[in-house]
């Protein structure tokens, strides 16, 4: 979000970072860039969830983790890709910090102090999960 706001504020291309992400998959275009960006983000969420098992994350610690991710994404891997290297550094770092803070906050809200999943709020009725899809053949 910060890089999008930066692009809108400065009159830049809002999809530039998405197109730059496409180069990670050896191509160009918004769709390939979105796929690359979602894949990289999903991998980092898995990593942060694993880190959260050992060291409890919250928004503040998540932002620190986002800074570590920015070093890896932008300064180590991104150096090899001219389109990524050409992106505005401050806006990209802000994106990574915001991503880490958001993931940390979400992890904190779904895990109790002992590392278990928090129970649903009082009065909450869980949805019934069916073993098989509802269809006439299963009735």
């Amino acid at each position: 979000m910060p890089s999008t706001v930066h692009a809108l504020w400065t009159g830049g291309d809002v999809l530039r970072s998405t197109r730059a992400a496409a180069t990670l998959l050896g191509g160009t275009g918004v769709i390939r860039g979105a796929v690359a960006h979602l894949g990289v983000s999903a991998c980092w969420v898995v990593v942060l969830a694993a880190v959260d098992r050992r060291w409890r994350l919250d928004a503040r610690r998540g932002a620190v983790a986002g800074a570590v991710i920015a070093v890896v994404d932008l300064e180590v891997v991104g150096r090899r890709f001219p389109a990524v290297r050409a992106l505005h550094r401050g806006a990209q770092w802000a994106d990574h910090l915001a991503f880490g803070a958001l993931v940390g906050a979400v992890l904190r809200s779904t895990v109790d102090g002992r590392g278990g999943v928090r129970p649903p709020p009082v009065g909450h009725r869980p949805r019934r999960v069916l073993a098989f899809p509802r269809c006439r053949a299963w009735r």
Side-chain angles (χ1 to χ4, degrees):
M1 188 64 147
S3 64
T4 302
V5 170
H6 178 267
L8 290 171
W9 187 264
T10 61
D13 182 6
V14 176
L15 297 175
R16 185 175 180 197
S17 60
T18 304
R19 288 188 193 95
T23 63
L24 299 174
L25 297 178
T28 60
V30 174
I31 294 175
R32 187 176 294 213
V35 168
H37 199 266
L38 288 172
V40 169
S41 296
C43 288
W44 282 120
V45 167
V46 169
V47 169
L48 290 179
V51 167
D52 183 60
R53 291 177 184 221
R54 176 86 170 143
W55 297 285
R56 310 285 0 129
L57 292 179
D58 56 11
R60 189 188 71 216
R61 289 180 177 170
V64 172
V68 172
I69 293 169
V71 169
V72 173
D73 282 356
L74 302 172
E75 308 305 331
V76 176
V77 177
R79 265 187 199 185
R80 295 186 176 108
F81 297 91
V84 175
R85 198 171 49 240
L87 296 172
H88 187 273
R89 277 287 177 260
Q92 293 302 309
W93 271 79
D95 275 350
H96 283 74
L97 294 176
F99 171 79
L102 179 65
V103 172
V106 168
L107 288 170
R108 180 60 27 238
S109 70
T110 58
V111 177
D112 67 14
R114 296 183 312 266
V117 176
R118 284 198 178 141
V122 175
H124 174 76
R125 291 183 56 208
R127 288 179 38 183
R128 186 173 151 203
V129 179
L130 299 174
F132 299 101
R134 284 189 187 185
C135 68
R136 292 183 189 172
W138 297 107
R139 290 185 191 178

